[in-house]
Amino acid sequence: MSGELPPNINIKEPRWDQSTFVGRANHFFTVTDPRNILLTNEQLENARKIVHDYRQGIFPPGLTENELWRAKYIYDSAFHPDTGEKMILIGRMSAQVPMNMTITGCMMTFYRTTPAVLFWQWINQSFNAVVNYTNRSGDAPLTVNELGTAYVSATTGAVATALGLNALTKHVSPLIGRFVPFAAVAAANCINIPLMRQRELKVGIPVTDENGNRLGESANAAKQAITQVVVSRILMAAPGMAIPPFIMNTLEKKAFLKRFPWMSAPIQVGLVGFCLVFATPLCCALFPQKSSMSVTSLEAELQAKIRETHPELQRAYFNKGL
């Protein structure tokens, strides 16, 4: 044990005040830092050991508070908050910027033909399905059949939506055509996220009191959680898909891109990436990850159970997912 580090730091909660948007933004700028995906398995396991040991009151001599928080955020970026399992690399929020900037940039560059729309929308929705599964709420496992059904339903519905929107805009101006990918992504998020997390809507997600004591499972909490995630994901995509079209529409009239048309894709990817660096953490911060709702908004059966064991409890808390 080291006297340099107090043993009562609450590393179950983020370092910054999560009741404010600024506090949540600081938290998510750290969690979504793309540099986290470059960490080795050894570094991840070391961070997990530091966090778990500290929770047991054990920490090596010389460990500073900043080093403890750094380990906590490495741990948070790679391990699921409910199950504790290591998350799929491309499904982690720290992979959002590099993955989304590449996929979104290509979607917005290759949008003129049906095969290109089909391919990139399928790639995008497959990636989204991985992200939605990886960042789900709760600790109940999905069976292979449930996961397969959810994936096929989500990607098919989302791709069909994209193709339908693309067909409707064949005769509009090129600038409006550039916004088809965003409209498709927004609509697809409303399909993909609920389908990939449909188990939560059926059986509910864990709800707790303020101290993390489990009270039961609630489908009503799952509905609120998924709605908040859909809203934040759509807004997350908006800057990267709404701002670059105006810039690219202007650049493509200039001599440079007429001379080097192959530069269109990397420029668009770069523009999208710049937007996502800020949009990803700021939109994750719109709603607290540890969300809450009034006990009276839960299912009647769960309300009755809570009134028996926690008669004074006013609010229930849950991980909404990301």
Side-chain angles (χ1 to χ4, degrees):
M1 298 280 286
S2 167
E4 297 175 12
L5 187 67
N8 58 348
I9 299 172
N10 183 12
I11 57 168
K12 290 183 179 180
E13 299 294 334
R15 189 173 193 175
W16 296 277
D17 181 4
Q18 296 299 284
S19 66
T20 68
F21 177 76
V22 172
R24 294 194 296 272
N26 281 326
H27 167 69
F28 281 111
F29 267 108
T30 308
V31 171
T32 64
D33 187 338
R35 292 173 296 180
N36 289 340
I37 63 173
L38 301 176
L39 297 171
T40 65
N41 191 58
E42 183 181 357
Q43 289 173 304
L44 296 179
E45 291 300 330
N46 183 56
R48 173 155 67 174
K49 184 177 187 306
I50 290 173
V51 169
H52 284 191
D53 284 353
Y54 184 81
R55 288 174 180 171
Q56 304 300 317
I58 304 166
F59 45 94
L63 183 71
T64 67
E65 184 172 348
N66 282 338
E67 289 171 341
L68 175 64
W69 281 113
R70 172 62 180 154
K72 185 254 192 312
Y73 274 102
I74 290 175
Y75 176 80
D76 283 353
S77 75
F79 296 90
H80 193 277
D82 291 327
T83 66
E85 297 175 353
K86 188 180 294 180
M87 295 185 286
I88 303 165
L89 179 63
I90 64 169
R92 298 173 194 168
M93 293 310 290
S94 52
Q96 283 289 291
V97 171
M99 290 298 296
N100 262 330
M101 67 184 282
T102 304
I103 296 171
T104 303
C106 289
M107 284 171 59
M108 295 173 68
T109 302
F110 310 110
Y111 66 92
R112 292 182 175 89
T113 66
T114 298
V117 171
L118 182 62
F119 176 76
W120 285 109
Q121 285 291 341
W122 172 70
I123 290 290
N124 186 49
Q125 292 311 319
S126 295
F127 169 64
N128 283 344
V130 172
V131 174
N132 296 335
Y133 171 74
T134 303
N135 294 280
R136 68 197 183 280
S137 175
D139 49 14
L142 278 173
T143 66
V144 174
N145 282 342
E146 286 175 327
L147 187 57
T149 301
Y151 168 73
V152 171
S153 302
T155 51
T156 302
V159 169
T161 302
L163 290 174
L165 285 169
N166 195 57
L168 289 173
T169 56
K170 289 289 186 184
H171 306 293
V172 298
S173 71
L175 180 58
I176 294 176
R178 288 182 181 275
F179 286 95
V180 171
F182 173 61
V185 165
N189 271 323
C190 297
I191 299 169
N192 197 315
I193 296 171
L195 283 173
M196 286 305 297
R197 295 177 60 175
Q198 59 184 282
R199 181 180 175 83
E200 299 172 37
L201 296 170
K202 293 176 183 175
V203 303
I205 58 176
V207 293
T208 69
D209 63 16
E210 194 171 7
N211 298 317
N213 299 309
R214 194 159 176 160
L215 303 170
E217 288 74 38
S218 169
N220 288 355
K223 292 175 187 175
Q224 177 175 307
I226 289 171
T227 299
Q228 290 178 344
V229 170
V230 168
V231 171
S232 65
R233 290 285 191 84
I234 291 173
L235 293 176
M236 191 186 298
M241 301 189 82
I243 297 172
F246 290 106
I247 299 173
M248 292 305 298
N249 203 53
T250 301
L251 290 179
E252 287 183 357
K253 296 173 184 176
K254 305 294 184 183
F256 178 76
L257 278 185
K258 287 181 178 178
R259 187 178 178 186
F260 303 105
W262 58 271
M263 284 294 295
S264 180
I267 290 174
Q268 188 133 247
V269 167
L271 288 171
V272 172
F274 178 78
C275 293
L276 284 171
V277 165
F278 299 97
T280 301
L282 292 177
C283 289
C284 282
L286 289 174
F287 306 101
Q289 185 167 357
K290 184 180 178 180
S291 195
S292 70
M293 65 192 307
S294 170
V295 169
T296 57
S297 298
L298 300 172
E299 293 85 341
E301 185 178 337
L302 183 55
Q303 286 186 50
K305 177 182 174 183
I306 292 172
R307 277 196 292 269
E308 286 180 10
T309 56
H310 301 77
E312 304 300 319
L313 194 67
Q314 299 296 315
R315 298 195 70 79
Y317 296 83
F318 52 90
N319 167 33
K320 72 172 177 63
L322 289 174

